[in-house]
Amino acid sequence: MRRGRDWRPQLRAAGLALPLVAFVGVTFVAPLATMFSRSVYDAVVADALPETLALLEGWDGESVPGEEVFAAAARELMRAQEERVIGQVAGRVNRVQGGMRSIVAVTGRRLAAAPDGSWRETFVGIDPAWGEAGTWHALRTAGERYTSRHYLAAVDLRRLPDGSIARQEEDRRIYLRLFARTFLVSLSITGLCLLFGYPLAHFIAHAPPRRAGLLLALVLVPFWTSLLVRTTSWIVLLQGQGVINDILVALRLVSDDGRLALIYNMTGTFVAMTHVLLPFMVLPLYSVMRGIPRSHMDAAASLGAGPAQGFLRVYWPQTLPGVGAGSLLVFILAIGYYITPALVGGSTGQLISNMVAYHMQTSLNWGLASALGAIILACVIGLYLLYERLAGTEGVRVA
Amino acid sequence: MHVAFCAAVLFFLMAPILVIVPLSFNAEPYFTFTEGMLRLDPEAWSLRWYQEIATSDVWRSALVNSLVIGAAATALATFLGTLAALGLSSPDMPARRFLMGFLVSPLVTPVIISAAGMFFFYSRMGLGQTHLGLILAHAALGTPFVVITVTATLTAYNTTLNRAAASLGAGPLRTFTRVQLPLIAPGVLSGALFAFATSFDEVVVVLFLGGVEQNTIPRQMWAGIREEISPAILAVATFLIVFAAALLLTVGWLRRRAAGTG
């Protein structure tokens, strides 16, 4: 009798990996997943005003809703007031339509157990806005559990109270510009790293072994040094009373009160990020270049190619995997960069990640922070898949 | 020309780090070279900032927190990561490419996004502002390094040794601890050092998850850079540079050992 395929080796291998898969799943992937659910799901209003929202389903959308809607809204707003969630409800409605925060909050505070005449008259008495259809549109929109609003906001769009999508007002369009800036800055830093890193990697890769080891150490020491230390160094060097400005003043290149603003702006972000990311370009280039035998260039020369032609037609094509891997690695790290711009970028040197931090910690607009984070992560994953194809997971090996 | 350019790039890489070291001996509370320092006047140089951090309770507790969190996270990451690498290197591993991608995801994700996600999840689990929460978070961030280095070391491992051990009567556990582990130890150790360095230098997750009780060295430096910049930070930075050089030498030594036995 033939036995089935023996699955034990597969089970054994999978069993070894299982604890880590479970660990990473719980401590890392699950937190990301719950955060991203926050970017599309928001039930504050839906949970606070279920009956009102159900009644609004049957509303024609043009006239002012009927008395039973007002009565339900009164009950539920008073309950929200009692349970102290009225502030969250008001904030949520306010994001649909500006000015609604105080209308909802004041109404919640002033409603009493019995109406003054009809509920409708009571509401309109507190704020005439309740007599307009637009207010109820805003309430209905805010009551949707699933919302695309954070993603719309993340690309400078908004939903009008009547449900149509429009561009954000001129002075509130910030994210697309910030995405574009982050993209451009990352691209320029990648270019700079390639410009500085390629000749250096070439030099180290073809130096005699002893000297190569020493030179490589000069790349690896910064690589292993704490990021905060490296950022501190740039503050020491670049600030107004810093080392570079002192030297320039001593050389009389700039006057003492004309010291250059080299930090707390885009210049600071640029210089410090290039410094931090340069080793990530040099190391993959170095490992590719080391594998290119000198005999290839000798062969090119013996066949009559000049140094430039030999480089362009023989050497450069062989280094392309390293160029691709290094550039993608630097670019991936740059678009998600947070610490350095936060410390040396001032107000003009901020990137999109700093906006995620701002909405997490200061504005507390967590839905928007999650949506921005999801967009960044999608870009990073796409680029990473490209990187993996170029370099293999082995290429992730750093240092 | 080429040499001069490379020297300039290396200068750009190293100079900012080296400039910190002499400045940490500044006798004045400034971030710049005083005239006295340039004249090599002994009065202008001092160890006062080293004295300050050595006697400061804040920096001492930050060091203890960093070491405790780093050591625990490293132990967890190294244990789980080595185990997983053994599975991933087996030719019988199903869905290897996918799993590898899954397991290195903490390395690829921008740290601000990881920190934001962890903030919600860990606080809901009651792990916000606890050492345990930070240990788990840092272990998650460190595991990819262990997985990658150990998997790379295992590609050079000769599996007939396992069969030889088995034929001599050793069980799987004994084979692993007496034969395989000693041979892949350099890879495991350098993975562990990477994981420790990750935790020891990590600030964003600490800022999001940690409370006052979880003040670590990077967090204290972050606060120092943002609020009042005192040369005490430069003294700490000098200590961290020495630490980085020591790590680098250790990893280099381990790599040469691994190459020798591989």
Side-chain angles (χ1 to χ4, degrees):
Chain A
M1 200 170 80
R2 258 189 73 190
R3 303 240 329 254
R5 187 173 163 197
D6 188 2
W7 286 98
R8 269 174 303 176
Q10 272 91 337
L11 282 177
R12 208 176 132 242
L16 286 169
L18 189 66
L20 183 60
V21 171
F23 180 76
V24 171
V26 172
T27 58
F28 185 80
V29 178
L32 285 189
T34 50
M35 175 172 89
F36 294 137
S37 75
R38 210 176 260 276
S39 69
V40 289
Y41 184 77
D42 184 347
V44 169
V45 177
D47 287 345
L49 311 172
E51 216 181 313
T52 315
L53 292 165
L55 287 168
L56 279 175
E57 298 272 309
W59 170 50
D60 63 8
E62 281 161 28
S63 59
V64 177
E67 176 68 12
E68 77 281 4
V69 178
F70 278 99
R75 265 196 311 282
E76 289 177 331
L77 283 177
M78 281 189 283
R79 193 176 61 212
Q81 174 79 15
E82 226 167 83
E83 291 169 359
R84 295 173 188 279
V85 294
I86 190 87
Q88 288 175 42
V89 172
R92 173 78 174 81
V93 183
N94 195 62
R95 292 208 177 112
V96 176
Q97 189 173 332
M100 285 299 290
R101 188 192 306 273
S102 68
I103 298 175
V104 173
V106 167
T107 308
R109 210 160 47 233
R110 301 232 323 241
L111 281 171
D116 185 11
S118 72
W119 278 118
R120 179 175 166 164
E121 284 162 22
T122 316
F123 269 74
V124 176
I126 295 172
D127 198 305
W130 290 111
E132 291 158 24
T135 307
W136 295 94
H137 274 296
L139 209 61
R140 189 165 68 174
T141 309
E144 289 163 5
R145 282 171 188 272
Y146 291 92
T147 170
S148 55
R149 139 183 93 89
H150 298 305
Y151 284 94
L152 292 175
V155 292
D156 291 338
L157 296 173
R158 68 197 167 111
R159 200 178 281 279
L160 298 175
D162 67 6
S164 61
I165 293 173
R167 291 192 68 185
Q168 197 67 265
E169 288 150 48
E170 191 90 37
D171 56 328
R172 298 183 66 185
R173 288 178 202 159
I174 43 177
Y175 300 109
L176 281 184
R177 208 176 302 155
L178 206 52
F179 273 114
R181 183 204 278 177
T182 305
F183 195 81
L184 273 178
V185 167
S186 306
L187 208 61
S188 323
I189 288 173
T190 309
L192 275 179
C193 285
L194 190 61
L195 187 72
F196 294 158
Y198 195 94
L200 181 60
H202 178 270
F203 188 68
I204 300 176
H206 301 292
R210 265 206 108 86
R211 195 186 308 158
L214 187 72
L215 293 174
L216 199 59
L218 294 181
V219 178
L220 286 171
V221 169
F223 178 81
W224 277 91
T225 301
S226 159
L227 188 58
L228 287 163
V229 170
R230 285 181 279 171
T231 309
T232 313
S233 322
W234 284 111
I235 296 176
V236 169
L237 285 171
L238 297 178
Q239 65 181 341
Q241 302 294 324
V243 174
I244 290 181
N245 264 314
D246 280 357
I247 293 174
L248 292 176
V249 170
L251 296 174
R252 299 186 187 283
L253 289 173
V254 300
S255 67
D256 200 12
D257 39 308
R259 286 168 179 263
L260 305 176
L262 299 170
I263 203 166
Y264 305 122
N265 53 26
M266 196 44 111
T267 316
T269 300
F270 238 94
V271 174
M273 275 178 74
T274 307
H275 180 249
V276 168
L277 296 175
L278 186 52
F280 290 96
M281 181 67 88
V282 175
L283 296 171
L285 278 174
Y286 165 76
S287 69
V288 168
M289 287 172 175
R290 209 175 40 163
I292 301 174
R294 193 171 279 273
S295 57
H296 285 195
M297 289 301 279
D298 295 341
S302 76
L303 291 170
Q309 202 188 7
F311 173 77
L312 279 177
R313 309 246 328 243
V314 177
Y315 194 82
W316 168 255
Q318 295 190 71
T319 59
L320 280 180
V323 172
S327 304
L328 272 170
L329 191 57
V330 169
F331 190 80
I332 288 174
L333 290 167
I335 57 172
Y337 230 73
Y338 166 67
I339 298 174
T340 308
L343 288 175
V344 302
S347 57
T348 55
Q350 303 288 304
L351 301 178
I352 195 74
S353 289
N354 302 95
M355 220 55 199
V356 176
Y358 169 77
H359 285 305
M360 284 297 298
Q361 296 178 308
T362 310
S363 81
L364 304 184
N365 189 348
W366 292 339
L368 182 53
S370 308
L372 289 170
I375 296 174
I376 301 172
L377 189 62
C379 297
V380 167
I381 289 176
L383 288 165
Y384 172 73
L385 293 177
L386 199 66
Y387 171 82
E388 208 215 355
R389 178 154 290 195
L390 273 176
T393 347
E394 309 289 293
V396 186
R397 208 183 325 163
V398 273
Chain B
M1 173 60 193
H2 189 178
V3 176
F5 183 82
C6 291
V9 175
L10 284 172
F11 182 76
F12 170 72
L13 276 171
M14 283 302 291
I17 292 168
L18 294 180
V19 80
I20 284 221
V21 180
L23 278 178
S24 67
F25 297 101
N26 197 341
E28 304 292 329
Y30 303 130
F31 252 35
T32 185
F33 290 98
T34 57
E35 275 179 40
M37 292 181 88
L38 295 176
R39 273 188 279 115
L40 295 180
D41 179 357
E43 293 283 298
W45 297 74
S46 92
L47 288 171
R48 66 183 276 205
W49 306 113
Y50 288 89
Q51 202 168 5
E52 185 174 315
I53 56 169
T55 53
S56 142
D57 288 337
V58 180
W59 283 106
R60 186 175 318 134
S61 75
L63 176 65
V64 170
N65 279 332
S66 276
L67 290 176
V68 167
I69 292 169
T74 304
L76 197 57
T78 309
F79 175 72
L80 293 171
T82 306
L83 217 57
L86 288 170
L88 285 166
S89 319
S90 148
D92 302 307
M93 187 70 198
R96 186 192 334 217
R97 263 179 72 91
F98 170 77
L99 278 181
M100 199 69 183
F102 184 86
L103 293 178
V104 300
S105 62
L107 181 63
V108 182
T109 308
V111 66
I112 182 75
I113 298 174
S114 316
M118 287 168 165
F119 169 73
F120 295 122
F121 194 79
Y122 284 51
S123 357
R124 201 180 314 157
M125 297 286 140
L127 290 169
Q129 316 207 342
T130 64
H131 275 64
L132 181 62
L134 276 182
I135 289 169
L136 293 175
H138 279 183
L141 296 182
T143 50
F145 293 107
V146 180
V147 172
I148 290 167
T149 51
V150 178
T151 317
T153 313
L154 281 169
T155 51
Y157 177 75
N158 185 350
T159 46
T160 42
L161 291 174
N162 284 358
R163 267 177 277 150
S167 75
L168 293 169
L173 189 65
R174 205 171 146 85
T175 306
F176 176 71
T177 53
R178 299 291 293 275
V179 178
Q180 193 167 17
L181 187 59
L183 285 172
I184 63 167
V188 175
L189 258 174
S190 52
L193 284 178
F194 267 111
F196 185 77
T198 306
S199 166
F200 203 68
D201 191 27
E202 205 292 319
V203 66
V204 184
V205 170
V206 177
L207 284 172
F208 274 75
L209 288 189
V212 208
E213 297 287 303
Q214 287 78 41
N215 199 16
T216 60
I217 288 184
R219 186 183 171 139
Q220 186 61 32
M221 282 195 77
W222 172 279
I225 296 171
R226 291 210 125 181
E227 285 143 30
E228 26 85 55
I229 301 193
S230 118
I233 288 188
L234 301 185
V236 178
T238 305
F239 158 74
L240 290 178
I241 293 168
V242 173
F243 175 76
L247 271 183
L248 171 64
L249 288 174
T250 318
V251 171
W253 179 72
L254 287 170
R255 178 150 307 151
R256 276 195 302 279
R257 273 203 54 175
T261 54

